[in-house]
Amino acid sequence: MQAIWTKVLKPGEKWSGAIGRGKYVHFKAQGDGANVSVLLYNLLDKTERYNMPDTLKAQFTAHLTQGNILMSDNGRAMASFVQDSLGWHDSICGLTTREMTDEKWGKTTYQEQRNDYHRAGMENVAMELVRNGLSMRDLVPCVNLFSKVFIKEDGSMNFESGWCKEGATVTLRTEMDCIWILSNTPNPLDDSPEWPSVPVEVSVYDAPATDLIDECVQHRDENFRAFQNTWDYYNLLGM
């Protein structure tokens, strides 16, 4: 397939933009230890956005992989995991803050390090929210692609070092017209002694229409209902 858009997210870089439904959004790690934080908002109604609690409880999981979908707070399917070379992506750890980044990897500033300073996920997302007519009041939990965080019996969250290797890929299919906000910043639990700096390539391709026998549609009854809600939404809009 021919990509209709490709961008390499440099370490610390952020990006936001509209991606219409019926597209593949393909992520490829260009080094070990990648992490890309993802937020989704309905392009036509920005009050609707990705909902982490509903996504996880409806699919009986605490992590995301092929077959899973990202649900909105209106119970609609926003995007689907249609390909995954890793089998586990973090759904619970959120974004790094400035304080956390300075404490873990040393204080840096733009004035001193210029573009080599260590970006924080929260700062990146805050700027992209504003660019899209939103604010920090609209911030919701993100998805951290390429990171594995698991829960032990004592309830502690644990980051698996070395989980993502160079060349790892994951592909999401868009089920709704959405604003995507991406931040190539570390997972908050990353225990690397050096600030992780891994470029990630993002490519968008045209995707075939989702049908009733699709793996993500059939994954659970709750998934099927979420797809029905999305299809009804667009049918009633005449789209």
Side-chain angles (χ1 to χ4, degrees), residues 24 41 60 74 126-127 132 220:
Y24 288 137
Y41 297 81
F60 287 72
N74 285 342
M127 285 185 274
N132 289 279
R220 293 193 56 82

Coordinates of all heavy atoms in Angstrom, one line a residue, residues 24 41 60 74 126-127 132 220:
Y24 N -5.7 3.5 8.1 CA -4.7 2.8 9.0 C -3.7 3.8 9.5 O -3.2 4.6 8.7 CB -4.0 1.7 8.2 CG -4.8 0.5 7.9 CD1 -4.6 -0.1 6.6 CD2 -5.6 -0.1 8.8 CE1 -5.3 -1.2 6.2 CE2 -6.3 -1.3 8.4 CZ -6.2 -1.8 7.1 OH -6.9 -2.9 6.8
Y41 N -10.0 12.7 20.1 CA -11.2 13.5 20.3 C -12.0 13.4 19.0 O -11.5 13.5 17.9 CB -10.9 14.9 20.6 CG -10.1 15.1 21.9 CD1 -8.7 14.8 21.9 CD2 -10.7 15.4 23.1 CE1 -8.0 14.9 23.1 CE2 -10.0 15.5 24.3 CZ -8.7 15.3 24.3 OH -8.0 15.3 25.5
F60 N -12.7 -6.3 29.3 CA -12.2 -7.1 30.4 C -10.6 -7.2 30.3 O -10.1 -8.3 30.3 CB -12.8 -8.5 30.3 CG -14.2 -8.6 30.8 CD1 -15.2 -8.1 30.0 CD2 -14.5 -9.2 32.0 CE1 -16.5 -8.1 30.5 CE2 -15.8 -9.3 32.5 CZ -16.8 -8.7 31.7
N74 N -19.2 8.2 24.7 CA -20.5 8.0 24.3 C -20.7 6.5 23.8 O -21.7 6.2 23.1 CB -20.9 8.9 23.1 CG -21.1 10.3 23.6 OD1 -21.4 10.5 24.8 ND2 -21.1 11.3 22.7
A126 N -0.6 19.6 26.5 CA -1.3 20.9 26.8 C -1.2 21.8 25.6 O -2.2 22.5 25.3 CB -0.6 21.5 28.0
M127 N -0.1 21.9 24.9 CA 0.0 22.8 23.8 C -0.8 22.3 22.6 O -1.5 23.2 21.9 CB 1.5 22.9 23.4 CG 2.4 23.7 24.3 SD 4.1 24.0 23.7 CE 4.8 22.5 24.4
N132 N -6.0 22.9 19.2 CA -7.3 22.3 18.6 C -8.5 22.8 19.3 O -9.6 22.2 19.3 CB -7.2 20.8 18.7 CG -6.1 20.2 17.7 OD1 -6.4 20.1 16.6 ND2 -4.9 20.0 18.2
R220 N -15.7 -8.9 21.3 CA -16.6 -9.1 22.4 C -18.0 -8.5 22.0 O -18.0 -7.7 21.1 CB -16.1 -8.4 23.7 CG -14.9 -9.0 24.3 CD -14.7 -8.4 25.8 NE -15.9 -8.6 26.6 CZ -16.1 -9.8 27.2 NH1 -15.3 -10.8 27.1 NH2 -17.2 -9.9 28.0

